[in-house]
Amino acid sequence: EPRAFASSGPLLPADECAEVIRIAEATAAARGGWQTARHAQAATTDMNVKDVPEILDWFNSRLKSTLFPMLAARFPDKISGPDAIRAHDAFIVKYSADEGAQRACRPHIDESTFSFTIALNDRCDYEGGGLWLERARRDGDEAWGQVVLNADAGGVVAFPGKARHGGAPITSGTRYIITLFCYIDANKSKRAPGYVLDELRDRRGGGTG
Protein backbone atom coordinates (compact mmCIF):
# COMPACT_ATOMS: atom_id res chain seq x y z
CA GLU A 1 0.00 0.00 0.00
CA PRO A 2 1.24 3.57 -0.63
CA ARG A 3 3.15 5.16 2.22
CA ALA A 4 4.05 8.76 2.91
CA PHE A 5 6.69 10.02 5.31
CA ALA A 6 6.69 13.39 7.09
CA SER A 7 9.82 14.22 9.09
CA SER A 8 9.21 15.08 12.74
CA GLY A 9 11.84 17.83 12.59
CA PRO A 10 14.14 19.59 10.13
CA LEU A 11 16.46 17.47 8.01
CA LEU A 12 18.09 20.54 6.47
CA PRO A 13 19.31 23.60 8.43
CA ALA A 14 16.84 26.48 8.50
CA ASP A 15 19.55 29.04 7.68
CA GLU A 16 20.41 27.17 4.49
CA CYS A 17 16.73 27.10 3.53
CA ALA A 18 16.45 30.85 4.14
CA GLU A 19 19.46 31.42 1.90
CA VAL A 20 17.81 29.41 -0.89
CA ILE A 21 14.74 31.67 -0.66
CA ARG A 22 16.95 34.78 -0.77
CA ILE A 23 18.84 33.56 -3.84
CA ALA A 24 15.64 32.48 -5.59
CA GLU A 25 13.91 35.82 -5.06
CA ALA A 26 17.00 37.72 -6.20
CA THR A 27 17.24 35.51 -9.29
CA ALA A 28 13.54 36.00 -10.08
CA ALA A 29 13.91 39.77 -9.74
CA ALA A 30 16.91 39.76 -12.08
CA ARG A 31 15.20 37.55 -14.67
CA GLY A 32 11.83 39.26 -14.73
CA GLY A 33 9.87 37.02 -12.39
CA TRP A 34 9.10 33.42 -11.55
CA GLN A 35 8.12 30.84 -14.16
CA THR A 36 4.49 29.77 -14.33
CA ALA A 37 4.13 27.37 -17.27
CA ARG A 38 6.80 24.65 -16.91
CA HIS A 39 4.35 21.90 -15.90
CA ALA A 40 1.28 21.44 -18.07
CA GLN A 41 -0.41 18.91 -15.79
CA ALA A 42 -0.11 20.92 -12.58
CA ALA A 43 1.45 24.31 -13.21
CA THR A 44 3.27 26.03 -10.36
CA THR A 45 4.94 29.36 -9.77
CA ASP A 46 8.47 27.99 -9.70
CA MET A 47 12.15 28.09 -10.58
CA ASN A 48 14.20 25.13 -11.77
CA VAL A 49 17.00 24.30 -9.34
CA LYS A 50 19.38 23.44 -12.20
CA ASP A 51 19.02 26.97 -13.58
CA VAL A 52 20.58 28.53 -10.48
CA PRO A 53 24.14 27.18 -10.06
CA GLU A 54 24.55 28.38 -6.49
CA ILE A 55 21.41 26.53 -5.40
CA LEU A 56 22.21 23.49 -7.56
CA ASP A 57 25.60 22.94 -5.90
CA TRP A 58 24.04 23.10 -2.45
CA PHE A 59 21.14 20.86 -3.43
CA ASN A 60 23.32 18.16 -4.98
CA SER A 61 25.37 18.08 -1.79
CA ARG A 62 22.25 17.69 0.37
CA LEU A 63 20.85 14.98 -1.90
CA LYS A 64 23.96 12.90 -1.34
CA SER A 65 24.44 13.60 2.37
CA THR A 66 20.86 13.67 3.63
CA LEU A 67 17.88 13.32 1.31
CA PHE A 68 18.70 10.18 -0.67
CA PRO A 69 19.85 8.23 2.43
CA MET A 70 16.63 9.27 4.19
CA LEU A 71 14.45 8.11 1.30
CA ALA A 72 16.25 4.76 1.05
CA ALA A 73 15.89 4.23 4.81
CA ARG A 74 12.16 4.94 4.76
CA PHE A 75 11.38 2.66 1.80
CA PRO A 76 13.88 -0.24 2.10
CA ASP A 77 11.53 -2.66 0.35
CA LYS A 78 11.46 -0.43 -2.73
CA ILE A 79 14.98 1.07 -2.79
CA SER A 80 18.18 -0.98 -2.53
CA GLY A 81 20.21 2.00 -1.33
CA PRO A 82 20.88 5.73 -1.83
CA ASP A 83 23.04 5.08 -4.91
CA ALA A 84 20.01 3.67 -6.75
CA ILE A 85 18.06 6.95 -6.55
CA ARG A 86 18.12 9.41 -9.44
CA ALA A 87 16.77 12.97 -9.39
CA HIS A 88 14.51 13.62 -12.38
CA ASP A 89 13.44 17.21 -11.65
CA ALA A 90 13.77 19.68 -8.79
CA PHE A 91 12.23 23.13 -8.56
CA ILE A 92 11.50 25.83 -6.01
CA VAL A 93 7.78 26.59 -5.68
CA LYS A 94 6.30 29.83 -4.34
CA TYR A 95 2.74 29.98 -3.01
CA SER A 96 1.48 33.46 -2.15
CA ALA A 97 -1.80 34.79 -0.80
CA ASP A 98 -1.30 38.05 -2.73
CA GLU A 99 -4.01 38.90 -5.22
CA GLY A 100 -3.45 37.13 -8.52
CA ALA A 101 -0.73 34.86 -7.14
CA GLN A 102 -0.80 31.08 -6.93
CA ARG A 103 -2.20 29.89 -3.60
CA ALA A 104 -2.52 26.14 -4.25
CA CYS A 105 -1.75 23.33 -6.67
CA ARG A 106 -4.60 21.27 -8.10
CA PRO A 107 -4.80 17.50 -7.46
CA HIS A 108 -2.61 15.42 -9.76
CA ILE A 109 -0.27 12.44 -10.04
CA ASP A 110 3.48 12.92 -10.57
CA GLU A 111 5.56 11.32 -13.29
CA SER A 112 7.98 9.94 -10.71
CA THR A 113 8.56 6.89 -8.55
CA PHE A 114 8.91 9.01 -5.41
CA SER A 115 8.37 12.71 -4.79
CA PHE A 116 9.53 15.11 -2.08
CA THR A 117 8.35 18.42 -0.80
CA ILE A 118 11.02 20.20 1.22
CA ALA A 119 9.83 23.14 3.32
CA LEU A 120 11.97 26.26 2.99
CA ASN A 121 10.14 28.45 5.51
CA ASP A 122 8.22 27.92 8.74
CA ARG A 123 4.46 27.43 8.99
CA CYS A 124 4.18 30.63 11.06
CA ASP A 125 4.95 32.56 7.85
CA TYR A 126 1.61 31.60 6.29
CA GLU A 127 -1.78 30.07 7.04
CA GLY A 128 -3.08 26.92 5.36
CA GLY A 129 -0.88 25.06 2.90
CA GLY A 130 0.73 21.64 3.02
CA LEU A 131 0.75 18.51 0.91
CA TRP A 132 -2.80 17.21 0.42
CA LEU A 133 -3.12 13.44 -0.11
CA GLU A 134 -6.39 12.11 -1.43
CA ARG A 135 -6.11 8.73 0.27
CA ALA A 136 -3.93 8.15 3.31
CA ARG A 137 -4.06 7.20 6.97
CA ARG A 138 -1.84 7.99 9.91
CA ASP A 139 -0.17 5.33 12.04
CA GLY A 140 -2.77 3.74 14.29
CA ASP A 141 -5.76 4.80 12.19
CA GLU A 142 -7.98 2.21 10.57
CA ALA A 143 -9.88 4.43 8.16
CA TRP A 144 -8.46 5.88 4.97
CA GLY A 145 -9.18 9.47 4.06
CA GLN A 146 -7.78 12.81 2.99
CA VAL A 147 -4.69 13.99 4.88
CA VAL A 148 -2.62 17.19 4.79
CA LEU A 149 1.06 16.90 5.74
CA ASN A 150 3.32 19.89 6.29
CA ALA A 151 6.57 20.90 7.98
CA ASP A 152 8.63 23.84 9.15
CA ALA A 153 11.80 24.96 7.35
CA GLY A 154 14.06 22.01 6.56
CA GLY A 155 11.31 19.44 7.08
CA VAL A 156 10.50 16.91 4.38
CA VAL A 157 7.46 15.03 3.15
CA ALA A 158 8.21 12.04 0.87
CA PHE A 159 5.59 9.95 -0.90
CA PRO A 160 5.03 7.72 -3.96
CA GLY A 161 4.61 9.83 -7.08
CA LYS A 162 1.54 7.84 -8.14
CA ALA A 163 -0.38 8.86 -5.01
CA ARG A 164 -2.93 11.50 -5.98
CA HIS A 165 -2.03 14.73 -4.20
CA GLY A 166 -1.97 18.51 -4.45
CA GLY A 167 -0.89 21.67 -2.69
CA ALA A 168 -3.44 22.77 -0.09
CA PRO A 169 -4.34 26.47 -0.46
CA ILE A 170 -2.75 29.10 1.74
CA THR A 171 -4.93 31.94 3.00
CA SER A 172 -2.24 34.39 4.09
CA GLY A 173 1.50 34.86 3.80
CA THR A 174 3.97 33.12 1.50
CA ARG A 175 5.04 29.49 1.44
CA TYR A 176 8.22 28.24 -0.23
CA ILE A 177 9.08 24.61 -0.93
CA ILE A 178 11.40 22.56 -3.11
CA THR A 179 9.64 19.83 -5.06
CA LEU A 180 11.78 16.87 -6.11
CA PHE A 181 10.88 14.04 -8.48
CA CYS A 182 12.92 10.83 -8.22
CA TYR A 183 13.04 7.46 -9.92
CA ILE A 184 14.85 4.28 -8.96
CA ASP A 185 17.62 2.89 -11.14
CA ALA A 186 16.83 -0.77 -10.49
CA ASN A 187 19.07 -3.52 -11.86
CA LYS A 188 16.89 -6.57 -11.30
CA SER A 189 19.33 -8.92 -13.04
CA LYS A 190 21.64 -8.85 -9.98
CA ARG A 191 24.56 -8.71 -12.38
CA ALA A 192 27.31 -6.09 -12.25
CA PRO A 193 26.31 -2.64 -13.55
CA GLY A 194 27.23 -2.19 -17.22
CA TYR A 195 26.85 -5.85 -18.13
CA VAL A 196 24.75 -5.07 -21.22
CA LEU A 197 27.42 -2.80 -22.69
CA ASP A 198 30.11 -5.34 -21.82
CA GLU A 199 28.23 -8.05 -23.74
CA LEU A 200 27.79 -5.78 -26.75
CA ARG A 201 31.51 -4.99 -26.77
CA ASP A 202 32.34 -8.69 -26.54
CA ARG A 203 30.13 -9.39 -29.55
CA ARG A 204 31.96 -6.70 -31.50
CA GLY A 205 35.34 -8.08 -30.59
CA GLY A 206 36.05 -5.64 -27.79
CA GLY A 207 35.65 -2.46 -29.81
CA THR A 208 33.65 0.56 -28.68
CA GLY A 209 32.09 1.16 -32.09
Side-chain angles (χ1 to χ4, degrees):
E1 65 187 34
R3 288 170 290 158
F5 164 73
S7 62
S8 58
L11 299 183
L12 304 179
D15 61 331
E16 294 182 8
C17 295
E19 181 65 4
V20 170
I21 293 173
R22 185 195 68 77
I23 294 170
E25 286 289 8
T27 301
R31 296 179 180 178
W34 292 73
Q35 295 179 305
T36 57
R38 285 200 324 114
H39 300 96
Q41 181 182 7
T44 51
T45 299
D46 61 35
M47 179 179 299
N48 202 317
V49 167
K50 71 179 180 61
D51 291 339
V52 188
E54 191 173 354
I55 295 177
L56 178 61
D57 289 344
W58 165 82
F59 192 63
N60 283 337
S61 175
R62 284 300 181 184
L63 286 178
K64 183 176 181 179
S65 68
T66 306
L67 298 173
F68 282 174
M70 180 279 293
L71 187 64
R74 298 305 303 185
F75 299 93
D77 56 326
K78 303 293 184 182
I79 306 172
S80 61
D83 292 342
I85 306 172
R86 302 288 183 267
H88 171 64
D89 193 10
F91 48 100
I92 303 157
V93 179
K94 179 180 180 179
Y95 294 110
S96 173
D98 290 346
E99 185 175 356
Q102 182 174 11
R103 297 181 177 225
C105 183
R106 68 181 181 83
H108 62 282
I109 294 173
D110 292 336
E111 295 180 1
S112 64
T113 306
F114 291 96
S115 298
F116 283 81
T117 60
I118 304 164
L120 294 177
N121 61 325
D122 289 338
R123 285 171 284 186
C124 63
D125 293 338
Y126 56 89
E127 293 183 1
L131 176 81
W132 171 86
L133 291 164
E134 183 178 58
R135 186 174 183 271
R137 61 181 179 183
R138 301 181 188 276
D139 289 343
D141 291 347
E142 294 185 2
W144 292 80
Q146 299 180 23
V147 173
V148 175
L149 301 175
N150 205 356
D152 287 326
V156 172
V157 177
F159 58 98
K162 302 310 178 188
R164 187 170 172 81
H165 65 282
I170 65 170
T171 57
S172 68
T174 304
R175 177 182 180 229
Y176 296 91
I177 62 172
I178 292 178
T179 296
L180 171 64
F181 298 152
C182 300
Y183 69 91
I184 309 305
D185 188 3
N187 178 4
K188 296 182 180 180
S189 72
K190 298 184 179 179
R191 299 171 66 180
Y195 74 90
V196 173
L197 290 177
D198 290 342
E199 289 180 354
L200 289 173
R201 281 191 285 265
D202 290 344
R203 292 172 186 174
R204 295 179 178 179
T208 59

Short mmCIF file of all heavy atoms in Angstrom, two decimals, residues 26-74:
data_model
loop_
_atom_site.label_atom_id
_atom_site.label_comp_id
_atom_site.label_asym_id
_atom_site.label_seq_id
_atom_site.Cartn_x
_atom_site.Cartn_y
_atom_site.Cartn_z
N ALA A 26 16.09 36.83 -5.49
CA ALA A 26 17.00 37.72 -6.20
C ALA A 26 17.12 37.31 -7.67
O ALA A 26 17.16 38.16 -8.57
CB ALA A 26 18.37 37.70 -5.53
N THR A 27 17.16 36.01 -7.92
CA THR A 27 17.24 35.51 -9.29
C THR A 27 15.97 35.86 -10.06
O THR A 27 16.03 36.29 -11.22
CB THR A 27 17.46 33.99 -9.29
OG1 THR A 27 18.68 33.68 -8.60
CG2 THR A 27 17.54 33.45 -10.71
N ALA A 28 14.81 35.67 -9.43
CA ALA A 28 13.54 36.00 -10.08
C ALA A 28 13.48 37.49 -10.41
O ALA A 28 13.02 37.87 -11.50
CB ALA A 28 12.37 35.60 -9.18
N ALA A 29 13.93 38.33 -9.50
CA ALA A 29 13.91 39.77 -9.74
C ALA A 29 14.82 40.14 -10.92
O ALA A 29 14.47 41.00 -11.74
CB ALA A 29 14.35 40.51 -8.48
N ALA A 30 15.97 39.46 -11.01
CA ALA A 30 16.91 39.76 -12.08
C ALA A 30 16.44 39.24 -13.44
O ALA A 30 16.80 39.80 -14.48
CB ALA A 30 18.28 39.17 -11.74
N ARG A 31 15.62 38.19 -13.42
CA ARG A 31 15.20 37.55 -14.67
C ARG A 31 13.77 37.92 -15.08
O ARG A 31 13.23 37.36 -16.02
CB ARG A 31 15.33 36.03 -14.54
CG ARG A 31 16.76 35.57 -14.34
CD ARG A 31 16.83 34.06 -14.18
NE ARG A 31 18.21 33.61 -13.99
CZ ARG A 31 18.57 32.33 -13.79
NH1 ARG A 31 17.63 31.39 -13.76
NH2 ARG A 31 19.84 32.01 -13.61
N GLY A 32 13.16 38.82 -14.34
CA GLY A 32 11.83 39.26 -14.73
C GLY A 32 10.69 38.47 -14.14
O GLY A 32 9.55 38.56 -14.61
N GLY A 33 10.95 37.72 -13.09
CA GLY A 33 9.87 37.02 -12.39
C GLY A 33 10.05 35.51 -12.35
O GLY A 33 10.99 34.95 -12.91
N TRP A 34 9.12 34.86 -11.67
CA TRP A 34 9.10 33.42 -11.55
C TRP A 34 8.45 32.80 -12.79
O TRP A 34 7.67 33.46 -13.47
CB TRP A 34 8.32 33.00 -10.31
CG TRP A 34 8.97 33.37 -9.01
CD1 TRP A 34 9.07 34.62 -8.48
CD2 TRP A 34 9.61 32.48 -8.09
NE1 TRP A 34 9.74 34.57 -7.27
CE2 TRP A 34 10.07 33.27 -7.01
CE3 TRP A 34 9.82 31.11 -8.07
CZ2 TRP A 34 10.75 32.72 -5.92
CZ3 TRP A 34 10.49 30.55 -6.98
CH2 TRP A 34 10.95 31.36 -5.93
N GLN A 35 8.76 31.55 -13.06
CA GLN A 35 8.12 30.84 -14.16
C GLN A 35 6.75 30.33 -13.71
O GLN A 35 6.54 30.02 -12.55
CB GLN A 35 8.99 29.67 -14.62
CG GLN A 35 10.32 30.11 -15.22
CD GLN A 35 11.17 28.92 -15.63
OE1 GLN A 35 11.45 28.04 -14.84
NE2 GLN A 35 11.57 28.91 -16.89
N THR A 36 5.84 30.21 -14.68
CA THR A 36 4.49 29.77 -14.33
C THR A 36 3.92 28.73 -15.30
O THR A 36 2.77 28.34 -15.15
CB THR A 36 3.51 30.97 -14.31
OG1 THR A 36 3.55 31.63 -15.59
CG2 THR A 36 3.90 31.97 -13.21
N ALA A 37 4.70 28.27 -16.26
CA ALA A 37 4.13 27.37 -17.27
C ALA A 37 5.06 26.19 -17.58
O ALA A 37 5.02 25.65 -18.68
CB ALA A 37 3.82 28.14 -18.54
N ARG A 38 5.88 25.77 -16.63
CA ARG A 38 6.80 24.65 -16.91
C ARG A 38 6.09 23.30 -16.87
O ARG A 38 6.52 22.35 -17.50
CB ARG A 38 7.95 24.64 -15.89
CG ARG A 38 8.98 25.72 -16.12
CD ARG A 38 10.31 25.42 -15.45
NE ARG A 38 10.17 24.77 -14.17
CZ ARG A 38 10.58 23.52 -13.93
NH1 ARG A 38 11.10 22.79 -14.90
NH2 ARG A 38 10.44 22.99 -12.74
N HIS A 39 5.02 23.19 -16.07
CA HIS A 39 4.35 21.90 -15.90
C HIS A 39 2.91 22.01 -16.38
O HIS A 39 2.09 22.68 -15.75
CB HIS A 39 4.39 21.47 -14.44
CG HIS A 39 5.79 21.30 -13.91
ND1 HIS A 39 6.44 22.28 -13.21
CD2 HIS A 39 6.66 20.26 -13.99
CE1 HIS A 39 7.65 21.86 -12.88
NE2 HIS A 39 7.81 20.64 -13.35
N ALA A 40 2.61 21.33 -17.50
CA ALA A 40 1.28 21.44 -18.07
C ALA A 40 0.22 20.78 -17.20
O ALA A 40 -0.90 21.27 -17.07
CB ALA A 40 1.28 20.81 -19.47
N GLN A 41 0.57 19.66 -16.56
CA GLN A 41 -0.41 18.91 -15.79
C GLN A 41 -0.81 19.63 -14.51
O GLN A 41 -1.99 19.67 -14.15
CB GLN A 41 0.14 17.52 -15.44
CG GLN A 41 -0.85 16.67 -14.65
CD GLN A 41 -0.26 15.32 -14.27
OE1 GLN A 41 0.91 15.05 -14.47
NE2 GLN A 41 -1.09 14.47 -13.70
N ALA A 42 0.16 20.21 -13.83
CA ALA A 42 -0.11 20.92 -12.58
C ALA A 42 0.87 22.08 -12.47
O ALA A 42 1.92 21.97 -11.82
CB ALA A 42 0.02 19.98 -11.39
N ALA A 43 0.54 23.17 -13.13
CA ALA A 43 1.45 24.31 -13.21
C ALA A 43 1.68 24.93 -11.83
O ALA A 43 0.77 24.99 -11.00
CB ALA A 43 0.89 25.36 -14.17
N THR A 44 2.91 25.36 -11.61
CA THR A 44 3.27 26.03 -10.36
C THR A 44 4.06 27.29 -10.66
O THR A 44 4.65 27.43 -11.73
CB THR A 44 4.11 25.10 -9.46
OG1 THR A 44 5.22 24.56 -10.20
CG2 THR A 44 3.28 23.97 -8.90
N THR A 45 4.07 28.20 -9.70
CA THR A 45 4.94 29.36 -9.77
C THR A 45 6.29 28.89 -9.24
O THR A 45 6.44 28.64 -8.04
CB THR A 45 4.38 30.51 -8.91
OG1 THR A 45 3.09 30.88 -9.41
CG2 THR A 45 5.31 31.71 -8.93
N ASP A 46 7.27 28.72 -10.13
CA ASP A 46 8.47 27.99 -9.70
C ASP A 46 9.73 28.48 -10.39
O ASP A 46 9.72 29.39 -11.22
CB ASP A 46 8.27 26.49 -9.94
CG ASP A 46 8.05 26.13 -11.40
OD1 ASP A 46 8.64 26.78 -12.28
OD2 ASP A 46 7.28 25.19 -11.67
N MET A 47 10.84 27.83 -10.01
CA MET A 47 12.15 28.09 -10.58
C MET A 47 12.93 26.79 -10.55
O MET A 47 13.02 26.14 -9.50
CB MET A 47 12.88 29.16 -9.75
CG MET A 47 14.28 29.51 -10.23
SD MET A 47 15.01 30.80 -9.20
CE MET A 47 13.84 32.14 -9.44
N ASN A 48 13.47 26.39 -11.69
CA ASN A 48 14.20 25.13 -11.77
C ASN A 48 15.52 25.24 -11.02
O ASN A 48 16.29 26.17 -11.24
CB ASN A 48 14.46 24.77 -13.23
CG ASN A 48 14.72 23.30 -13.43
OD1 ASN A 48 15.44 22.69 -12.66
ND2 ASN A 48 14.14 22.72 -14.45
N VAL A 49 15.77 24.28 -10.14
CA VAL A 49 17.00 24.30 -9.34
C VAL A 49 18.24 24.31 -10.24
O VAL A 49 19.22 24.99 -9.96
CB VAL A 49 17.03 23.11 -8.37
CG1 VAL A 49 18.42 22.91 -7.77
CG2 VAL A 49 16.00 23.31 -7.26
N LYS A 50 18.20 23.55 -11.34
CA LYS A 50 19.38 23.44 -12.20
C LYS A 50 19.72 24.75 -12.91
O LYS A 50 20.85 24.90 -13.42
CB LYS A 50 19.20 22.33 -13.23
CG LYS A 50 18.20 22.60 -14.32
CD LYS A 50 18.12 21.44 -15.30
CE LYS A 50 17.12 21.70 -16.42
NZ LYS A 50 17.47 22.88 -17.24
N ASP A 51 18.78 25.69 -12.93
CA ASP A 51 19.02 26.97 -13.58
C ASP A 51 19.71 27.99 -12.68
O ASP A 51 20.02 29.10 -13.12
CB ASP A 51 17.69 27.56 -14.09
CG ASP A 51 17.10 26.77 -15.24
OD1 ASP A 51 17.85 26.03 -15.90
OD2 ASP A 51 15.88 26.88 -15.46
N VAL A 52 19.93 27.62 -11.42
CA VAL A 52 20.58 28.53 -10.48
C VAL A 52 21.79 27.79 -9.89
O VAL A 52 21.65 27.03 -8.93
CB VAL A 52 19.62 28.96 -9.35
CG1 VAL A 52 20.25 30.06 -8.49
CG2 VAL A 52 18.29 29.42 -9.92
N PRO A 53 22.98 27.98 -10.46
CA PRO A 53 24.14 27.18 -10.06
C PRO A 53 24.44 27.18 -8.57
O PRO A 53 24.81 26.14 -8.01
CB PRO A 53 25.29 27.85 -10.84
CG PRO A 53 24.63 28.42 -12.05
CD PRO A 53 23.28 28.90 -11.57
N GLU A 54 24.26 28.31 -7.91
CA GLU A 54 24.55 28.38 -6.49
C GLU A 54 23.63 27.47 -5.68
O GLU A 54 24.05 26.80 -4.72
CB GLU A 54 24.42 29.83 -6.00
CG GLU A 54 24.96 30.05 -4.60
CD GLU A 54 24.97 31.51 -4.22
OE1 GLU A 54 24.67 32.37 -5.08
OE2 GLU A 54 25.28 31.81 -3.05
N ILE A 55 22.36 27.41 -6.07
CA ILE A 55 21.41 26.53 -5.40
C ILE A 55 21.65 25.07 -5.80
O ILE A 55 21.58 24.16 -4.98
CB ILE A 55 19.96 26.94 -5.71
CG1 ILE A 55 19.68 28.34 -5.14
CG2 ILE A 55 18.97 25.93 -5.15
CD1 ILE A 55 18.29 28.87 -5.45
N LEU A 56 21.98 24.85 -7.08
CA LEU A 56 22.21 23.49 -7.56
C LEU A 56 23.35 22.82 -6.82
O LEU A 56 23.25 21.65 -6.43
CB LEU A 56 22.49 23.51 -9.06
CG LEU A 56 22.79 22.15 -9.71
CD1 LEU A 56 21.60 21.21 -9.57
CD2 LEU A 56 23.16 22.34 -11.18
N ASP A 57 24.45 23.53 -6.62
CA ASP A 57 25.60 22.94 -5.90
C ASP A 57 25.20 22.53 -4.49
O ASP A 57 25.56 21.44 -4.02
CB ASP A 57 26.76 23.94 -5.85
CG ASP A 57 27.41 24.15 -7.21
OD1 ASP A 57 27.18 23.32 -8.12
OD2 ASP A 57 28.14 25.15 -7.38
N TRP A 58 24.49 23.41 -3.81
CA TRP A 58 24.04 23.10 -2.45
C TRP A 58 23.08 21.91 -2.46
O TRP A 58 23.21 21.00 -1.63
CB TRP A 58 23.33 24.33 -1.86
CG TRP A 58 22.52 24.03 -0.64
CD1 TRP A 58 22.98 23.93 0.64
CD2 TRP A 58 21.10 23.79 -0.56
NE1 TRP A 58 21.95 23.63 1.50
CE2 TRP A 58 20.78 23.55 0.79
CE3 TRP A 58 20.08 23.77 -1.51
CZ2 TRP A 58 19.48 23.28 1.22
CZ3 TRP A 58 18.78 23.51 -1.08
CH2 TRP A 58 18.50 23.26 0.26
N PHE A 59 22.15 21.90 -3.40
CA PHE A 59 21.14 20.86 -3.43
C PHE A 59 21.75 19.49 -3.73
O PHE A 59 21.40 18.49 -3.09
CB PHE A 59 20.08 21.21 -4.48
CG PHE A 59 18.84 20.36 -4.40
CD1 PHE A 59 18.05 20.38 -3.27
CD2 PHE A 59 18.48 19.55 -5.45
CE1 PHE A 59 16.90 19.60 -3.18
CE2 PHE A 59 17.33 18.77 -5.38
CZ PHE A 59 16.54 18.79 -4.24
N ASN A 60 22.66 19.43 -4.68
CA ASN A 60 23.32 18.16 -4.98
C ASN A 60 24.05 17.61 -3.77
O ASN A 60 24.05 16.40 -3.51
CB ASN A 60 24.29 18.33 -6.15
CG ASN A 60 23.59 18.39 -7.49
OD1 ASN A 60 22.47 17.89 -7.63
ND2 ASN A 60 24.23 18.98 -8.48
N SER A 61 24.68 18.50 -3.01
CA SER A 61 25.37 18.08 -1.79
C SER A 61 24.40 17.51 -0.77
O SER A 61 24.66 16.46 -0.15
CB SER A 61 26.13 19.26 -1.20
OG SER A 61 26.72 18.92 0.05
N ARG A 62 23.24 18.15 -0.61
CA ARG A 62 22.25 17.69 0.37
C ARG A 62 21.55 16.41 -0.10
O ARG A 62 21.14 15.59 0.73
CB ARG A 62 21.24 18.79 0.64
CG ARG A 62 21.79 19.90 1.54
CD ARG A 62 22.21 19.34 2.86
NE ARG A 62 22.73 20.32 3.79
CZ ARG A 62 23.23 20.02 4.98
NH1 ARG A 62 23.28 18.75 5.38
NH2 ARG A 62 23.68 20.96 5.79
N LEU A 63 21.40 16.24 -1.41
CA LEU A 63 20.85 14.98 -1.90
C LEU A 63 21.73 13.82 -1.46
O LEU A 63 21.24 12.79 -0.96
CB LEU A 63 20.76 15.00 -3.43
CG LEU A 63 19.66 15.85 -4.07
CD1 LEU A 63 19.78 15.76 -5.59
CD2 LEU A 63 18.28 15.41 -3.63
N LYS A 64 23.02 13.97 -1.64
CA LYS A 64 23.96 12.90 -1.34
C LYS A 64 24.10 12.66 0.16
O LYS A 64 24.12 11.51 0.62
CB LYS A 64 25.32 13.22 -1.95
CG LYS A 64 26.36 12.12 -1.76
CD LYS A 64 27.66 12.48 -2.46
CE LYS A 64 28.69 11.36 -2.28
NZ LYS A 64 29.96 11.69 -2.99
N SER A 65 24.15 13.74 0.94
CA SER A 65 24.44 13.60 2.37
C SER A 65 23.21 13.28 3.21
O SER A 65 23.31 12.62 4.25
CB SER A 65 25.09 14.88 2.91
OG SER A 65 24.15 15.96 2.90
N THR A 66 22.04 13.72 2.76
CA THR A 66 20.86 13.67 3.63
C THR A 66 19.62 13.08 2.97
O THR A 66 19.01 12.14 3.49
CB THR A 66 20.52 15.08 4.13
OG1 THR A 66 21.67 15.67 4.74
CG2 THR A 66 19.37 15.04 5.13
N LEU A 67 19.21 13.62 1.85
CA LEU A 67 17.88 13.32 1.31
C LEU A 67 17.79 11.92 0.71
O LEU A 67 16.83 11.19 0.99
CB LEU A 67 17.48 14.38 0.29
CG LEU A 67 17.36 15.80 0.87
CD1 LEU A 67 17.13 16.81 -0.24
CD2 LEU A 67 16.23 15.87 1.89
N PHE A 68 18.75 11.52 -0.11
CA PHE A 68 18.70 10.18 -0.67
C PHE A 68 18.86 9.10 0.40
O PHE A 68 18.12 8.10 0.38
CB PHE A 68 19.75 10.02 -1.76
CG PHE A 68 19.37 10.66 -3.08
CD1 PHE A 68 20.28 10.70 -4.13
CD2 PHE A 68 18.11 11.22 -3.28
CE1 PHE A 68 19.93 11.27 -5.35
CE2 PHE A 68 17.76 11.80 -4.48
CZ PHE A 68 18.68 11.83 -5.53
N PRO A 69 19.79 9.23 1.36
CA PRO A 69 19.85 8.23 2.43
C PRO A 69 18.55 8.14 3.23
O PRO A 69 18.13 7.05 3.63
CB PRO A 69 21.02 8.72 3.30
CG PRO A 69 21.90 9.47 2.36
CD PRO A 69 20.96 10.16 1.41
N MET A 70 17.90 9.28 3.47
CA MET A 70 16.63 9.27 4.19
C MET A 70 15.57 8.50 3.42
O MET A 70 14.86 7.65 3.97
CB MET A 70 16.16 10.70 4.45
CG MET A 70 14.83 10.82 5.21
SD MET A 70 13.35 10.61 4.19
CE MET A 70 13.45 12.08 3.16
N LEU A 71 15.47 8.77 2.11
CA LEU A 71 14.45 8.11 1.30
C LEU A 71 14.69 6.60 1.26
O LEU A 71 13.76 5.81 1.41
CB LEU A 71 14.44 8.68 -0.11
CG LEU A 71 13.31 8.20 -1.02
CD1 LEU A 71 11.96 8.65 -0.48
CD2 LEU A 71 13.51 8.71 -2.45
N ALA A 72 15.94 6.19 1.09
CA ALA A 72 16.25 4.76 1.05
C ALA A 72 15.93 4.09 2.38
O ALA A 72 15.47 2.95 2.42
CB ALA A 72 17.72 4.56 0.69
N ALA A 73 16.17 4.79 3.49
CA ALA A 73 15.89 4.23 4.81
C ALA A 73 14.40 4.08 5.06
O ALA A 73 13.98 3.15 5.76
CB ALA A 73 16.54 5.10 5.89
N ARG A 74 13.61 4.99 4.52
CA ARG A 74 12.16 4.94 4.76
C ARG A 74 11.45 3.93 3.87
O ARG A 74 10.38 3.45 4.22
CB ARG A 74 11.54 6.33 4.54
CG ARG A 74 12.05 7.42 5.46
CD ARG A 74 11.92 7.07 6.92
NE ARG A 74 10.56 6.76 7.33
CZ ARG A 74 10.18 6.52 8.57
NH1 ARG A 74 11.09 6.52 9.53
NH2 ARG A 74 8.92 6.26 8.85
#
